[in-house]
């Protein structure tokens, strides 16, 4: 994938169980290679050339940074660099109420356009074997 966007509501300061299951199941996707220098250090097999983002929804006074932390780790694991988090913090239970916030929708459109139109990233830290 050229880009990865992950979305979740916040439940008990974490991502949903469904997203956590996907993240856990992806553990086997990125094998690590042993560095030839000393044999103790590992590096990912694939470079981080994808872009990633997190879209989150939570209560107005709730934290989402802990959920974001796990998503950022997941994005790193699957070869994506985190670009941005879009947080919809609201105090209502009205389905679709985000449409009353055109500034957030504009940020979402701009992020989507950037993810689609930007060229793949180059990872200077990645050394081919």
């Amino acid at each position: 994938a050229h880009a990865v966007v992950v979305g979740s509501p916040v439940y008990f300061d974490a991502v949903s169980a469904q997203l956590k299951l996907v993240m856990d199941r992806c553990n086997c996707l990125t094998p690590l290679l042993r560095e030839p220098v000393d044999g103790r250090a590992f590096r990912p097999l694939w470079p981080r050339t994808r872009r990633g983002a997190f879209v989150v929804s939570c209560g107005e006074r709730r934290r989402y940074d802990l959920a974001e932390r796990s998503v950022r780790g997941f994005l790193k694991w699957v070869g994506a660099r985190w670009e941005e988090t879009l947080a919809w913090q609201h105090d209502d239970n009205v389905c679709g109420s985000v449409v009353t916030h055109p500034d957030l929708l504009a940020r979402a459109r701009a992020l989507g356009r950037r993810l689609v139109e930007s060229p793949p990233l180059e990872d200077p830290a990645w050394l081919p074997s």
Side-chain angles (χ1 to χ4, degrees), residues 1-116:
H2 183 71
V4 179
V5 178
V6 178
S8 176
V10 171
Y11 296 132
F12 297 102
D13 296 331
V15 297
S16 68
Q18 294 85 353
L19 177 55
K20 181 67 169 89
L21 180 62
V22 168
M23 291 165 48
D24 289 344
R25 295 283 170 99
C26 287
N27 188 46
C28 63
L29 290 180
T30 305
L32 297 175
L33 296 177
R34 191 175 293 272
E35 288 287 357
V37 178
D38 64 4
R40 292 184 299 208
F42 290 91
R43 67 173 169 81
L45 176 63
W46 302 313
R48 291 176 56 199
T49 57
R50 296 163 189 81
R51 298 173 192 276
F54 182 38
V55 178
V56 61
S57 174
C58 62
E60 188 175 52
R61 293 175 298 280
R62 298 287 178 228
R63 296 176 56 175
Y64 62 87
D65 59 314
L66 300 173
E68 179 187 61
R69 182 177 178 170
S70 63
V71 168
R72 288 177 73 161
F74 166 71
L75 292 173
K76 181 178 180 181
W77 187 251
V78 297
R81 286 191 191 169
W82 173 83
E83 292 257 328
E84 186 174 351
T85 293
L86 290 177
W88 169 230
Q89 292 180 283
H90 56 95
D91 62 353
D92 60 46
N93 288 323
V94 179
C95 185
S97 62
V98 71
V99 299
T100 63
H101 293 269
D103 55 325
L104 188 59
L105 294 175
R107 280 185 55 210
R109 285 187 192 95
L111 173 63
R113 184 172 306 279
R114 188 171 73 243
L115 292 176
V116 169

Side-chain angles (χ1 to χ4, degrees), residues 112-123:
R113 184 172 306 279
R114 188 171 73 243
L115 292 176
V116 169
E117 295 177 351
S118 297
L121 296 166
E122 291 186 24
D123 190 346

